Amino acid sequence: VETRGLGDVYKRQALLMVIVEDVWKWTGFHMIIYIAGLQAIPTDLYEAAKIDGCPNLVFIVRILIPLTKSAIGAMAVYTFINAYNMYMWPLLVTGTEEMRTVQIGISMLNSVDSQSITMVIAGVVMVILPSLFVFILGQKQLIRGMFSGAVKG
């Protein structure tokens, strides 16, 4: 019978801390992207909704969020790719190998003990696939989100 000790709790807390730190670190960048997307929406749209009797919450849910989908998509793609590619912070915070990220695992494949270039390349290809998949799915949203507030029209 295996018991769960205090070390297991600390491992989960360390992994949670890695996620919270990454989200907090990119909050300012996400706010800039989202504010640029919001500034691209004319105030006449809000005024027209108010004249039609639309409450604020309905305006946000039915009009504002669909118009800012590109900014939200850009933030989602950036957040995933940055969180997936973290190396140094998880290396410092996590103490066991099962809690480490895939980038740390790839660097461990390139150690002195096992310098098989084919294993390293196979590992890199496997690690790149999720980021590439998310980028391909969110490419249109990413480009729209980056240029949503760039041109004043």
Side-chain angles (χ1 to χ4, degrees):
V1 174
E2 185 177 325
T3 60
R4 299 184 89 155
L6 207 52
D8 293 332
V9 173
Y10 289 140
K11 289 176 195 174
R12 286 192 296 268
Q13 286 178 347
L15 191 59
L16 181 66
M17 187 63 184
V18 168
I19 295 168
V20 167
E21 184 271 338
D22 187 59
V23 169
W24 181 256
K25 180 175 64 176
W26 289 99
T27 301
F29 176 71
H30 292 167
M31 287 176 61
I32 291 171
I33 295 273
Y34 198 68
I35 288 172
L38 286 175
Q39 287 175 343
I41 297 172
T43 56
D44 298 338
L45 197 60
Y46 177 71
E47 293 168 358
K50 276 301 185 190
I51 290 172
D52 287 342
C54 181
N56 286 336
L57 186 62
V58 174
F59 174 76
I60 291 171
V61 171
R62 290 193 181 166
I63 298 171
L64 199 60
I65 290 178
L67 287 176
T68 57
K69 261 198 290 190
S70 58
I72 294 170
M75 289 187 294
V77 170
Y78 274 123
T79 301
F80 175 79
I81 290 176
N82 286 324
Y84 192 72
N85 289 329
M86 285 177 51
Y87 179 79
M88 189 55 79
W89 180 245
L91 182 63
L92 293 173
V93 174
T94 58
T96 60
E97 289 185 12
E98 65 257 7
M99 298 298 280
R100 299 221 166 120
T101 60
V102 290
Q103 276 66 25
I104 298 170
I106 292 296
S107 69
M108 288 181 179
L109 280 177
N110 198 17
S111 67
V112 177
D113 298 333
S114 62
Q115 287 190 347
S116 173
I117 192 71
T118 55
M119 282 186 60
V120 173
I121 291 174
V124 167
V125 167
M126 287 176 55
V127 167
I128 280 179
L129 287 177
S131 293
L132 193 61
F133 182 70
V134 167
F135 178 75
I136 289 171
L137 284 180
Q139 183 177 10
K140 184 162 71 169
Q141 300 296 330
L142 185 66
I143 292 170
R144 281 187 190 163
M146 291 302 294
F147 293 115
S148 63
V151 178
K152 191 79 171 176

